[in-house]
Amino acid sequence: MSHTFEEVRLRLPHLEVAAHLYGPEDGRPVIALHGWLDNAASFSRLAPLLNGVRIVALDLPGHGLSDHRPPGAGYNIWDYAHDILQTAEQFGWQRFSLLGHSLGGIVSVLLAGAMPERIERLALIDGVIPYTGEAESAPRKLGEALRALLAVERKRKPVYARFDQAVAARMKGVGAVSREAAERLAQRGLMPVPGGYTWRTDPRLMLPSPLRLTLAHAQAFAQRVECPTSLIIARQGLMTDAKVIEFIDSLPFESHRLHGGHHLHLDDDEGAAAIAAVFNPFFAS
C-alpha cells in the first residue's frame, strides 16, 4: 500500500478495535465501515483519494486486528452501531459522517435512522438494507442459528499452506474480488499458524443470523435517514433485487450506478477514482 496512513488501536469500554487513520486531523470527521469478512484495508485505495476528510477506517469487531466479541456475545448488525458511537467518543465527535461498504453501508443506515442527530452525511457503496426475514420464518431461523452455535467450537478454520492459496480462496468468496484486492485484505486479515496461514476473523461471523429484521423494519430505518446521502450501486455488484432497487429509488438519496463489481472501490484504481469523483464533491458541499 503506497499511501500514508496511521495505524491505531482504540480501547473502547467493551473491547479494543484497530483502525487506519487517513487525512488531516482537522478534516471532516468520517468513520469508514467495511463489509462482512473484510477489514480496514478495504478502503486502502479509496481513502487516500478523498479530500478534506479525517477518516477512521475501522476493523469492525471480529475482523482484522480488532478484538473478537467475548464468549456468549453475538454479531448482530445493530451491535455494530454501539461500536461506532464508542469510536466517535474516542475522538470527541458528536457529529460525524459514515462511509460504508456492503455490511458497513447497512450498519450506517441503521445508525443514521436510529440517531439522526449524530450523523452528518452518509456515503454508501453497494449496501443499504440487510437481508430480511418475516415472522413465519423466525422460529426456523432461530433454531438453525442455535444449532450452528452449539457446533461452532468443534469447527476449525481452514489452514492454507501458502499465502497465495489464501488469496485465491478470497478471490472466490462472497463478493468476489480482484487478486490485488484479495492480497490487500489478506495482508491484514491472515495470521500464521502451524501448517501455514488462517484468517483472523471470528468463526462466529459465519453463523446464521438468529433474528432478521422484517422488510418493514429495514425500510423504516432507511426512510428515517435525515442527512444527505450519496449511494454508489455497482452495476455488477450484489444489489440486483428489483424490489430493493425500486425501494431505493423511492428514497431521497443521491444515487449513482458505476461499472464494477461489489468491491469496485478496492478492485482497481479506476473504480476507486470513479467513486472519489462522486464522493469528493459530496463531502465538500
Side-chain angles (χ1 to χ4, degrees):
M1 302 176 194
S2 59
H3 295 283
T4 301
F5 61 84
E6 180 183 355
E7 177 82 48
V8 297
R9 295 194 67 83
L10 305 172
R11 171 51 63 182
L12 309 184
H14 56 304
L15 46 68
E16 190 169 276
V17 295
H20 289 166
L21 302 185
Y22 294 90
E25 291 187 17
D26 61 350
R28 179 191 292 272
V30 177
I31 298 178
L33 310 173
H34 60 76
W36 181 60
L37 302 184
D38 289 345
N39 54 57
S42 179
F43 296 101
S44 58
R45 283 192 198 270
L46 176 61
L49 303 180
L50 299 179
N51 303 321
V53 289
R54 178 61 163 175
I55 296 176
V56 179
L58 281 180
D59 285 334
L60 291 170
H63 298 77
L65 302 180
S66 288
D67 285 349
H68 296 182
R69 297 207 190 278
Y75 287 92
N76 297 309
I77 55 173
W78 44 83
D79 293 327
Y80 291 119
H82 179 242
D83 304 320
I84 297 163
L85 291 170
Q86 291 291 353
T87 298
E89 293 296 315
Q90 296 286 308
F91 293 90
W93 294 348
Q94 286 302 303
R95 297 232 339 137
F96 54 93
S97 297
L98 293 169
L99 166 61
H101 168 244
S102 193
L103 168 67
I106 292 165
V107 174
S108 296
V109 171
L110 292 181
L111 180 54
M115 300 185 70
E117 72 277 8
R118 297 295 301 270
I119 308 303
E120 287 187 339
R121 287 175 180 268
L122 292 184
L124 309 175
I125 304 170
D126 223 39
V128 177
I129 62 174
Y131 292 114
T132 58
E134 298 307 314
E136 60 271 15
S137 66
R140 176 175 55 83
K141 287 292 185 182
L142 178 57
E144 291 173 354
L146 291 173
R147 293 183 191 97
L149 183 60
L150 288 172
V152 71
E153 296 300 328
R154 298 193 297 272
K155 290 189 175 181
R156 295 292 178 264
K157 291 192 286 187
V159 175
Y160 304 93
R162 301 191 314 274
F163 181 87
D164 64 295
Q165 290 176 335
V167 169
R170 181 61 190 87
M171 289 174 66
K172 301 173 186 175
V174 176
V177 297
S178 69
R179 175 168 292 278
E180 188 173 344
E183 288 175 349
R184 291 180 182 229
L185 295 171
Q187 285 166 4
R188 189 167 183 82
L190 286 176
M191 64 180 182
V193 295
Y197 300 89
T198 194
W199 298 99
R200 298 179 185 275
T201 47
D202 191 332
R204 291 175 294 171
L205 289 166
M206 273 72 82
L207 295 177
S209 300
L211 183 67
R212 286 182 172 178
L213 299 178
T214 68
L215 179 60
H217 278 124
Q219 291 179 342
F221 280 97
Q223 289 166 335
R224 195 165 182 265
V225 171
E226 297 178 1
C227 64
T229 300
S230 182
L231 168 65
I232 301 291
I233 298 175
R235 292 190 183 276
Q236 291 78 41
L238 299 183
M239 292 180 59
T240 58
D241 183 88
K243 290 184 178 179
V244 172
I245 295 298
E246 181 181 2
F247 170 69
I248 290 170
D249 286 342
S250 73
L251 298 171
F253 293 178
E254 171 190 307
S255 183
H256 305 264
R257 287 167 171 79
L258 300 182
H259 177 78
H262 184 56
H263 286 76
L264 74 167
H265 64 299
L266 181 63
D267 279 335
D268 53 47
D269 290 339
E270 291 77 14
I275 293 176
V278 171
F279 286 166
N280 271 326
F282 173 71
F283 280 126
S285 61

